[in-house]
RNA sequence: GCGCCCGUAGCUCAACGGCAGAGCAGCCGGUCGAUAACCGGCCGAUGCAGGUUCGAGUCCUGACGAGCGCACCA
């Protein structure tokens, strides 16, 4: 449907002509006329002028009015009945309206009439509409309608296939749906392929719980089958719940990370990385959960405060050539993880820091000068004996306090002088920086802790003990030998497993890694090229990528995509030839990744080339991929593979936690294998919280009211459109508060919109869009002008993902422009003018234009209600509002000058309302149309603004009559909004017309209709009443 | 600890450096031809202390408060 139908060029020409007339008038001698206009009485009731005179004055003063049809204007001015019924006019009463009864004028008034229900009954009606969309294949219809159009791809971040759809998950899907629907309306082919993240620990743990002791010894194939069934069950549950929110997409063909094609895509990505030399297998400390017995990625770690023993320990220095080591001294370290001491292989000092040999409690210690007093405060007074630079200490040796070995003092830039002693206990197997230092000094990457957290024999006297429970024993041992200088408890934040929430450890093991370092700059450049909404997302992801070490992608679990790792039986070396490994990829594509557990290494490899050591027999690895690598491969498995989609995606839209999660784990593989970011724009939203700002997990607000548990229950309680309107109205970049109160508030907004729609539709009961009126009144053009501005503004805001402001704009238009003003102002025309008169059809034309545009403007958000409205909009149109195109701003011919005039009118209107309110308070009048007002101003600009549309002022201000004066009027009050204009309001002396309820001087002139005004008499005559 | 963002009416949000505005809620009233609707009026706000400027909600500084992120104390 074309939103613009007005003869724009013609309208503009008319405006030009009008302006030309105004310009030419300036030199015209108007003195006499001006004097006559000192007190210009304006319709209705200007009986003291001959028609010809009135006509002259009208054209001389209000050339702009040429927009309104001449015959109608003259009819109005001359107070005479219109010509007998024109053959062009429609039948007296449109179908559905009662024929008039002589004395009952109500039946001759064209009141709003529509079947669009006032009550939404969303919980009941929405599911019916969703069913209809499903059955009619709306999604496919949209695809077909947009075939060949430019693509807009929003790639779905897959929710985890576990549990119900929490309101926060629902919010995410609704935001995506709004984006997709909006871009579809803009004309793009915007497919939406939803996905699910199926692999991973939560499901595996659930299955392990169900299986009990049998789990540990169970056949992996059996476990995986149970996991798959579990995931499949919740995919169905969640799909139903997402659909209940009105989210439209390819629900019958979602992507699943456990499907063979997806799994094959993960290997494609991995093997590409391998070919590019980005994959390595290394012994390196990584986060390790001793409960889940698996490696963890950065993104799987969360921090929480715990109390740890903080100990100050002295390591005896071995005499040597360095400063301080001629004497019997000890170097002092500080640690909060005593259990890492068995793996201590060095002490690190800062090369530029100042260190001192001090005497304290009769012993000699080496530590940072600046920290000596503080660190040894509990030991005794400190006396500095000698000083040295950190760099001079390099190579000193010390005896481990309980392991039989000597270790070196080393240098490290990361040593700080804020805490501890400036001498850092270094265990290359238990810390990232320690590891790097260890590599530099060729230290062993020693990890004496097993997967379950138990020391092996390399921990010496502590072998067989469990970490970190062993801490007190280590402390006791140090104390017993006099190495412990001090012990206290400190509370500090410590990494925890985000699945089981227990403290984790750093532990060096052999793992698969993706090497990030070489590609970091490229990744950061891609970050800069991406649009981040809100903008600070860029800062976050940048700092994240800058600081992220290489990525450990192997996990020691079952429910995932097995890493295609084959180790030489003889030398243990892994096959790193991607060409060989692609056989496995093809197997996954055909059979699913579960095939890994059903075939032997040789069955999968066929005749593989021999290892460098000469042997050709291999054993399989047991690791699976980090699920983050899996979901991060979706650009490969889905966006690049799905026929509807296109790489790179236009938009990813997820919760802000995904900066460290999916955004990052998607960006890196994509940049490393494809050279570009997988998304052009990245939008993030906050979390749903209750009114107290707490995360909504408890589902209770402060009044004890329990919010629903899943998305479908929300729909049943409030209706999806109310939920969607709520989401569209909040600033989703921040935390999003939810409570019953907020839903009640937003439901009020919904009702207001709905009622306005109902009224608009009611005004169009007899309207045929084929017979639109082109001769619009100025107020109509004002309304179109406002609508056009709204369309432009909302489109821009939606493009910027600023739904909240778009919603506010729409609300302001509906409430302020329409409900409080325009719809009131056009009532007279809609209700009382002859059915097919130009004036009435002009109003209907604008109302039609508004409702047609508004249905589309709101369709991305109120997808059910807009559809319902759409079905009531008269005329030929698309089957569904979701197939329709975004409206074009209608040509209103409105100029800056007109805008300025109307601003003045509204200022006066405000002042007037206050004066009228006084009459109302005094019970002098009821409604404002009973008032007659005098407006007085000495200011030419204000006078002109009013005088130029004098004829319409009564209608604009909703009063019976407006009298405009130059100069002063006794009793008039200076306006507050328009100080240059004084206003005076009084009760109109005229009788009230029994039909149109206007107070008119000409009521009672017709013997046939003694209670009617002249205009109504004319209309009644036309109607044959 | 470092960084980012925010602080406007009871609530949700506005205001190129230029008269602090809307909606909701509340109160008062109107209307009875949008009626389980509709309209009007009133009420009421720039958290604090400085600075720049003719002029600051807006720019700068500081502390305060809220939120978020990063890091992690070896």
């Amino acid at each position: 449907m074309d939103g613009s139908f007005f003869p724009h060029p013609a309208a503009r020409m008319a405006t030009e002509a009008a302006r030309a007339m105004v310009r030419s008038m300036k030199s015209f001698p108007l003195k006499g006329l001006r004097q006559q206009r000192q007190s210009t009485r304006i319709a209705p009731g200007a009986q003291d002028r001959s028609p010809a005179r009135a006509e002259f004055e009208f054209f001389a003063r209000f050339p702009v009015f040429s927009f309104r049809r001449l015959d109608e204007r003259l009819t109005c001015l001359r107070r005479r009945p219109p010509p007998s019924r024109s053959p062009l006019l429609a039948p007296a009463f449109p179908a559905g309206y009662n024929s008039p009864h002589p004395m009952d004028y109500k039946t001759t008034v064209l009141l709003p009439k529509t079947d669009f229900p006032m009550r939404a009954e969303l919980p009941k009606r929405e599911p019916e509409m969703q069913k209809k969309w499903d059955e009619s294949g709306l999604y496919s219809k949209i695809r077909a309608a947009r075939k060949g159009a430019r693509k807009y791809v929003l790639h779905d971040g897959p929710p985890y296939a576990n549990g119900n759809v929490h309101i926060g998950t629902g919010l995410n899907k609704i935001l995506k749906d709004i984006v997709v629907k909006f871009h579809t309306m803009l004309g793009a082919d915007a497919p939406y392929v939803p996905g699910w993240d199926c692999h991973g620990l939560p499901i595996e743990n659930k299955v392990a719980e169900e299986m009990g002791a049998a789990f540990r010894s169970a056949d992996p194939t059996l476990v995986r089958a149970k996991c798959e069934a579990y995931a499949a069950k919740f995919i169905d549950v969640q799909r139903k719940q997402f659909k209940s929110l009105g989210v439209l997409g390819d629900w019958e063909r979602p992507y699943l990370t456990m499907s063979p094609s997806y799994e094959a895509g993960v290997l494609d990505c991995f093997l590409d990385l391998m070919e590019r030399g980005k994959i390595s297998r290394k012994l390196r400390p990584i986060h390790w959960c001793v409960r889940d017995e698996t490696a963890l990625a950065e993104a799987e770690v969360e921090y929480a405060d715990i109390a740890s023993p903080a100990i100050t320990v002295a390591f005896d220095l071995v005499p040597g050539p360095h400063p301080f080591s001629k004497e019997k001294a000890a170097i002092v370290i500080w640690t909060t993880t005593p259990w890492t001491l068995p793996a201590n292989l060095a002490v690190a000092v800062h090369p530029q820091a100042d260190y001192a040999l001090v005497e304290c409690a009769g012993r000699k210690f080496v530590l940072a000068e600046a920290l000596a007093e503080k660190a040894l405060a509990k030991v005794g007074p400190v006396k500095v004996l000698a000083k040295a630079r950190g760099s001079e200490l390099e190579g000193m040796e010390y005896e481990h306090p309980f392991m039989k070995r000597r270790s070196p003092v080393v240098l490290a830039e990361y040593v700080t002088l804020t805490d501890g002693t400036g001498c850092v206990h270094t265990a290359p197997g238990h810390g990232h920086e320690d590891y790097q230092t260890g590599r530099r000094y060729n230290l062993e990457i020693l990890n004496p802790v097993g997967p379950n957290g138990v020391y092996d024999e390399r921990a010496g006297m502590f072998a067989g003990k469990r970490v970190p429970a062993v801490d007190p024993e280590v402390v006791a041992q140090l104390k017993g030998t006099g190495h412990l200088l001090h012990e206290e408890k400190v509370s500090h934040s410590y990494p925890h497993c985000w699945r089981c929430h227990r403290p984790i450890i750093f532990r060096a093991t052999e793992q698969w890694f993706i090497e990030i370092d070489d590609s970091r700059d490229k990744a950061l450049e891609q970050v800069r090229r991406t649009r981040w909404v809100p903008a600070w997302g860029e800062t976050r992801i940048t700092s994240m990528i800058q600081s992220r070490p290489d990525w450990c992608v192997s996990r020691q679990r079952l429910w995932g995509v097995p890493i295609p790792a084959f180790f030489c039986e003889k030398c243990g070396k892994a096959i790193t030839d991607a060409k060989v490994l692609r056989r496995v990829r093809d197997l996954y594509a055909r059979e699913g990744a579960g095939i890994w557990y059903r075939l032997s290494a040789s069955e999968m490899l066929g005749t593989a080339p021999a290892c460098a050591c000469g042997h050709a027999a291999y054993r399989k690895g047991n690791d699976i991929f980090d699920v983050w690598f899996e979901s991060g491969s979706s650009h490969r498995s889905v966006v690049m593979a799905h026929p509807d989609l296109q790489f790179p995606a236009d938009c990813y839209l997820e919760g802000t936690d995904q900066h460290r999660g999916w955004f990052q784990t998607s960006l890196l593989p994509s940049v490393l294998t494809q050279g570009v970011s997988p998304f052009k724009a990245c939008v993030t939203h906050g979390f749903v919280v209750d009114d107290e700002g707490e995360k909504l997990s408890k589902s209770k607000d402060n009044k004890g009211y329990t919010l629903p548990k899943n998305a479908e229950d929300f729909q049943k309680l409030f209706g999806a459109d109310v939920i969607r309107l709520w989401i569209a109205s909040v600033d989703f970049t921040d935390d999003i508060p939810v409570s019953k109160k907020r839903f009640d508030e937003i439901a009020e907004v919904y009702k207001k919109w709905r009622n306005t729609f109902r009224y608009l539709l009611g005004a169009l009961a007899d309207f045929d869009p084929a017979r639109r009126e082109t001769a619009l009144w100025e107020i109509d053009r004002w309304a179109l002008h406002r609508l056009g501005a709204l369309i432009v503004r909302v489109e821009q805001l939606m493009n910027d993902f600023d739904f909240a402001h778009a919603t506010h704009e729409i609300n302001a238009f509906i409430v302020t422009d329409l409900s409080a003003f325009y719809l009131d102002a056009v009532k007279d025309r809609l209700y009382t003018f002859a059915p097919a008169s130009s004036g009435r059809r002009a109003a209907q034309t604008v109302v039609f234009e508004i409702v047609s545009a508004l249905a589309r403007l709101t369709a991305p958000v109120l997808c059910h209600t807009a559809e319902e409205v759409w079905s009531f909009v008269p005329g030929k149109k698309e089957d569904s509002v979701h197939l329709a195109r975004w409206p074009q701003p209608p040509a209103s011919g409105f100029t800056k000058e007109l805008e300025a005039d109307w601003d003045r009118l509204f200022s006066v209107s405000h002042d007037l309302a206050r004066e009228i309110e006084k009459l109302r308070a005094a019970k002098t009048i009821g409604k404002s149309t009973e008032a007659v007002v005098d407006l007085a101003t000495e200011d030419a600009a204000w006078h002109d603004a009013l005088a130029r549309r004098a004829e319409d002022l009564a209608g604009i201000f909703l009063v019976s009559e407006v009298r405009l004066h130059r100069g002063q009027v006794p009793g008039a009050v200076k306006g507050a909004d328009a100080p240059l204009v004084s206003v005076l309001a009084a009760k109109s002396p005229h009788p009230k017309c029994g039909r149109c309820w206007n107070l008119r001087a000409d009521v009672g002139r017709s013997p046939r209709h003694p209670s009617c005004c002249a205009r109504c008499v004319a209309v009644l005559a036309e109607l044959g009443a």
Side-chain angles (χ1 to χ4, degrees):
Chain A
M1 185 191 298
D2 184 5
S4 167
F5 60 89
F6 292 101
H8 193 23
R12 192 182 295 127
M13 275 168 60
T15 312
E16 293 302 324
R19 283 213 207 97
M21 280 179 75
V22 173
R23 280 195 298 272
S24 66
M25 279 167 55
K26 295 222 163 110
S27 55
F28 198 77
L30 284 173
K31 206 173 175 188
L33 197 57
R34 194 168 284 157
Q35 275 166 353
Q36 279 189 359
R37 274 193 276 131
Q38 283 301 310
S39 172
T40 314
R41 293 199 90 197
I42 303 153
Q47 298 299 309
D48 52 343
R49 286 174 289 171
S50 73
R53 179 74 185 174
E55 192 176 332
F56 167 75
E57 280 190 22
F58 164 66
F59 277 111
R61 282 157 38 217
F62 315 124
V64 166
F65 281 166
S66 57
F67 268 98
R68 201 195 289 190
R69 207 179 245 180
L70 177 61
D71 58 357
E72 185 167 325
R73 177 153 301 278
L74 294 181
T75 298
C76 191
L77 281 168
R78 286 169 190 159
R79 303 273 157 265
R80 102 189 155 194
S84 59
R85 279 174 63 180
S86 149
L88 281 175
L89 291 178
F93 283 90
Y97 286 104
N98 295 329
S99 59
H101 181 274
M103 297 310 291
D104 184 6
Y105 293 115
K106 180 164 178 169
T107 58
T108 74
V109 175
L110 297 151
L111 298 178
K113 181 179 158 48
T114 177
D115 291 328
F116 182 81
M118 170 177 274
R119 287 177 63 88
E121 296 185 279
L122 295 178
K124 175 170 150 269
R125 232 182 302 246
E126 284 171 348
E128 292 166 8
M129 193 170 282
Q130 289 155 10
K131 192 157 170 260
K132 215 183 96 195
W133 285 337
D134 249 6
E135 287 167 1
S136 69
L138 177 59
Y139 180 79
S140 313
K141 279 190 193 167
I142 294 172
R143 288 285 69 70
R146 294 291 186 275
K147 197 176 167 69
R150 74 182 164 82
K151 292 260 185 200
Y152 184 90
V153 174
L154 183 149
H155 176 43
D156 189 35
Y160 198 65
N162 181 18
N164 286 311
V165 173
H166 177 267
I167 187 64
T169 320
L171 170 131
N172 173 262
K173 275 286 193 288
I174 288 173
L175 287 174
K176 286 171 177 163
D177 190 50
I178 292 173
V179 171
V180 168
K181 286 192 164 114
F182 170 66
H183 282 278
T184 299
M185 297 198 90
L186 284 188
D189 179 13
Y192 181 59
V193 179
W196 271 277
D197 188 8
C198 309
H199 290 135
L201 260 182
I203 290 177
E204 188 173 337
N205 283 345
K206 275 271 193 294
V207 169
E209 257 172 51
E210 281 170 21
M211 294 177 71
F215 177 77
R216 281 200 169 264
S217 54
D219 179 352
T221 303
L222 173 69
V223 172
R224 289 173 60 93
K226 283 179 184 290
C227 289
E228 183 174 338
Y230 185 94
K233 178 184 148 195
F234 279 101
I235 288 166
D236 280 341
V237 168
Q238 293 188 3
R239 170 165 38 204
K240 188 159 162 267
Q241 296 177 348
F242 284 136
K243 286 171 82 170
S244 79
L245 296 173
V247 179
L248 199 61
D250 203 351
W251 291 112
E252 297 317 305
R253 294 180 301 165
Y255 78 84
L256 308 179
T257 61
M258 64 182 182
S259 69
S261 64
Y262 194 100
E263 292 166 333
V266 174
L267 285 207
D268 281 330
C269 193
F270 178 72
L271 295 176
D272 274 8
L273 288 165
M274 187 175 267
E275 274 181 339
R276 287 166 166 76
K278 305 292 186 190
I279 301 294
S280 63
R281 189 167 168 82
K282 292 188 298 199
L283 176 68
R284 208 207 73 178
I286 36 93
H287 291 294
W288 185 274
C289 177
V290 295
R291 179 192 175 272
D292 292 332
E293 292 192 23
T294 182
L296 295 171
E298 294 291 322
E300 292 169 315
V301 172
E302 60 188 22
Y303 290 83
D305 279 350
I306 59 164
S308 299
I311 54 173
T312 310
V313 184
F315 291 171
D316 298 326
L317 286 164
V318 179
H322 296 84
F324 311 154
S325 48
K326 289 187 285 291
E327 324 223 11
K328 191 170 182 299
I331 190 162
V332 185
I333 61 105
W334 183 79
T335 180
T336 55
T337 50
W339 63 266
T340 59
L341 284 174
N344 173 282
L345 290 174
V347 169
V349 297
H350 196 284
Q352 267 84 53
D354 293 319
Y355 288 82
L357 174 72
V358 303
E359 191 175 302
C360 177
R363 295 167 69 180
K364 289 173 182 159
F365 300 113
V366 171
L367 70 172
E369 187 189 1
L371 292 165
E373 296 248 359
K374 196 172 136 204
L376 298 176
K378 297 279 163 54
V379 182
V382 172
K383 186 179 160 204
V384 176
L385 303 176
K387 297 183 190 179
R389 267 297 168 87
S391 53
E392 297 175 67
L393 305 184
E394 185 180 25
M396 288 170 79
E397 284 193 308
Y398 63 89
E399 294 280 356
H400 193 285
F402 53 79
M403 305 296 294
K404 283 201 175 64
R405 64 174 172 251
R406 288 181 176 185
S407 298
V409 172
V410 298
L411 303 180
E413 298 278 347
Y414 57 79
V415 174
T416 63
L417 296 181
T418 50
D419 281 299
T421 63
C423 307
V424 175
H425 150 58
T426 299
H430 289 313
H432 183 63
E433 289 172 330
D434 303 37
Y435 166 77
Q436 289 170 328
T437 303
R439 288 287 296 261
R440 250 195 359 264
Y441 284 92
N442 252 324
L443 305 175
E444 183 190 352
I445 310 303
L446 172 63
N447 167 44
V449 180
N452 53 358
V454 175
Y455 281 129
D456 60 29
E457 69 288 348
R458 288 176 296 172
M461 66 179 73
F462 297 107
K465 307 274 187 186
R466 186 175 289 272
V467 304
V470 74
D471 276 347
E473 293 182 52
V474 175
V475 174
Q477 167 65 26
L478 293 168
K479 197 170 191 174
T481 55
H483 290 97
L484 184 75
L485 297 180
H486 180 61
E487 181 193 5
E488 61 184 353
K489 281 279 172 194
V490 293
S491 177
H492 61 130
S493 110
Y494 190 85
H496 290 67
C497 172
W498 83 332
R499 294 299 189 202
C500 71
H501 305 296
R502 297 180 192 211
I504 58 177
I505 63 171
F506 248 97
R507 175 174 178 269
T509 54
E510 285 251 328
Q511 301 288 342
W512 292 98
F513 291 91
I514 299 177
E515 298 293 333
I516 306 293
D517 284 344
D518 296 346
S519 316
R520 203 180 303 276
D521 289 345
K522 183 150 197 186
L524 290 171
E525 191 209 324
Q526 286 299 310
V527 165
R528 283 192 294 277
R529 286 168 180 266
T530 301
R531 179 177 174 204
W532 300 91
V533 179
W536 46 257
E538 179 170 351
T539 320
R540 288 180 55 182
I541 195 115
T542 298
S543 66
M544 212 124 13
I545 287 176
Q546 272 166 345
S547 63
R548 117 153 267 157
D550 44 14
W551 177 4
C552 172
V553 291
S554 41
R555 297 291 182 274
Q556 290 64 49
R557 305 299 304 188
L558 278 178
W559 183 224
V561 178
I563 296 175
F566 298 93
F567 302 102
C568 173
E569 298 262 28
K570 179 83 183 289
C571 70
K573 198 166 170 293
I575 295 180
T576 52
D577 182 349
K579 282 191 201 68
V580 176
L581 299 176
R582 283 203 203 278
R583 276 182 66 105
V584 181
R585 180 249 174 240
D586 293 340
L587 276 172
Y588 282 12
R590 225 168 32 242
E591 310 284 343
I595 193 72
W596 182 262
Y597 299 98
R598 299 199 294 272
L599 296 185
S600 67
S602 57
E603 281 171 319
M604 281 189 281
L605 282 172
T607 49
C611 176
C613 73
H615 277 257
Y618 298 92
R619 63 173 177 83
K620 293 188 290 179
N622 292 319
D623 295 353
I624 60 168
F625 283 108
D626 174 14
V627 287
W628 286 110
F629 179 70
E630 237 187 79
S631 58
S633 300
S634 67
H635 68 277
R636 186 62 173 268
S637 290
V638 182
V639 182
M640 292 172 80
H642 196 291
D644 289 354
L645 306 180
Q646 193 176 75
F647 179 88
D650 292 279
C651 178
Y652 280 29
L653 192 165
E654 305 296 333
T656 180
D657 57 332
Q658 299 303 330
H659 278 119
R660 73 182 310 181
W662 192 53
F663 295 142
Q664 194 194 175
T665 60
S666 296
L667 183 96
L668 290 171
S670 175
V671 170
L672 266 57
T673 61
Q674 309 300 320
V676 293
S677 163
F679 40 77
K680 293 176 189 164
C682 181
V683 183
T684 51
H685 58 81
F687 293 105
V688 176
V689 296
D690 64 22
D691 266 354
E692 316 277 88
E694 298 293 319
K695 278 209 175 132
L696 199 66
S697 46
K698 308 284 185 292
S699 298
K700 284 211 165 179
D701 76 6
N702 46 3
K703 313 240 173 5
Y705 176 84
T706 305
L707 285 164
K709 287 185 181 51
N710 68 57
E712 210 175 354
D713 292 343
F714 266 91
Q715 190 278 331
K716 282 181 186 142
L717 197 58
F718 302 108
D721 274 10
V722 169
I723 298 165
R724 295 173 67 103
L725 184 58
W726 162 65
I727 287 167
S729 69
V730 295
D731 172 10
F732 65 72
T733 62
D734 208 340
D735 274 351
I736 301 150
V738 60
S739 66
K740 176 76 163 56
K741 180 166 166 278
R742 279 165 208 273
F743 273 110
D744 288 346
E745 280 170 15
I746 209 72
E748 286 302 315
V749 173
Y750 174 85
K751 274 154 86 174
K752 179 72 190 178
W753 289 22
R754 186 175 180 91
N755 259 309
T756 306
F757 273 127
R758 183 172 131 90
Y759 185 71
L760 292 167
L761 292 170
L764 299 175
D766 62 330
F767 183 69
D768 176 6
R771 300 191 56 217
R772 289 172 217 189
E773 179 56 71
T774 52
L776 302 180
W777 292 20
E778 192 178 80
I779 191 173
D780 299 330
R781 292 164 53 217
W782 172 86
L784 286 184
H785 170 66
R786 299 288 293 176
L787 176 67
L790 179 75
I791 291 169
V792 171
R793 181 94 179 109
V794 170
E795 179 179 331
Q796 181 202 334
L797 288 165
M798 299 283 288
N799 246 323
D800 292 342
F801 304 97
D802 192 350
F803 309 143
H805 283 120
T807 304
H808 272 98
E809 296 277 348
I810 292 172
N811 192 51
F813 178 76
I814 287 176
V815 174
T816 311
D817 290 347
L818 291 186
S819 189
F821 177 61
Y822 185 69
L823 296 185
D824 239 359
V826 293
K827 263 181 194 163
D828 191 40
R829 271 190 281 166
L830 289 172
Y831 292 3
T832 70
F833 273 36
S837 63
S838 166
R840 181 160 185 272
R841 279 188 301 109
Q844 284 183 312
T845 299
V846 172
V847 165
F848 169 79
E849 200 59 19
I850 288 172
V851 77
S852 160
L854 225 38
R856 286 173 285 169
L857 252 42
T858 55
V861 175
L862 302 184
C863 59
H864 305 91
T865 306
E867 185 77 317
E868 198 183 350
V869 171
W870 191 249
S871 70
F872 283 89
V873 172
K876 191 172 171 313
K877 64 202 181 226
E878 293 81 355
D879 292 344
S880 163
V881 72
H882 303 299
L883 283 159
R885 296 290 291 259
W886 192 254
Q888 295 291 313
S892 67
F894 225 65
T895 59
K896 279 232 158 41
E897 291 77 11
L898 284 178
E899 239 177 301
D901 276 2
W902 277 77
D903 283 346
R904 289 193 165 105
L905 296 186
F906 285 119
S907 301
V908 173
S909 179
H910 262 110
D911 293 334
L912 213 46
R914 273 186 282 269
E915 286 306 301
I916 288 170
E917 189 62 25
K918 288 178 192 164
L919 294 182
R920 230 194 305 256
K923 304 284 178 201
T924 310
I925 61 164
K927 41 184 186 179
S928 65
T929 48
E930 293 171 35
V932 55
V933 292
D934 291 282
L935 301 177
T937 178
E938 293 177 32
D939 184 86
W942 283 85
H943 189 274
D944 286 354
L946 292 161
R948 269 199 283 275
R949 41 199 64 76
E951 174 100 4
D952 292 337
L953 289 181
I956 292 169
F957 295 148
L958 291 168
V959 295
S960 163
E961 184 181 351
V962 176
R963 294 180 295 225
L964 181 60
H965 313 266
R966 268 194 197 281
Q968 299 294 322
V969 165
V973 181
K974 188 178 152 191
D977 287 73
L980 294 174
V981 180
S982 300
V983 299
L984 177 67
K987 185 178 168 64
S988 166
H990 304 310
K992 182 173 166 184
C993 169
R995 180 169 176 274
C996 70
W997 294 356
N998 290 312
L999 275 65
R1000 295 279 166 92
D1002 58 12
V1003 169
R1005 305 235 168 127
S1006 162
R1008 189 176 161 87
H1009 301 288
S1011 66
C1012 289
C1013 69
R1015 197 184 69 192
C1016 283
V1017 170
V1019 174
L1020 287 166
E1022 193 180 310
L1023 293 173

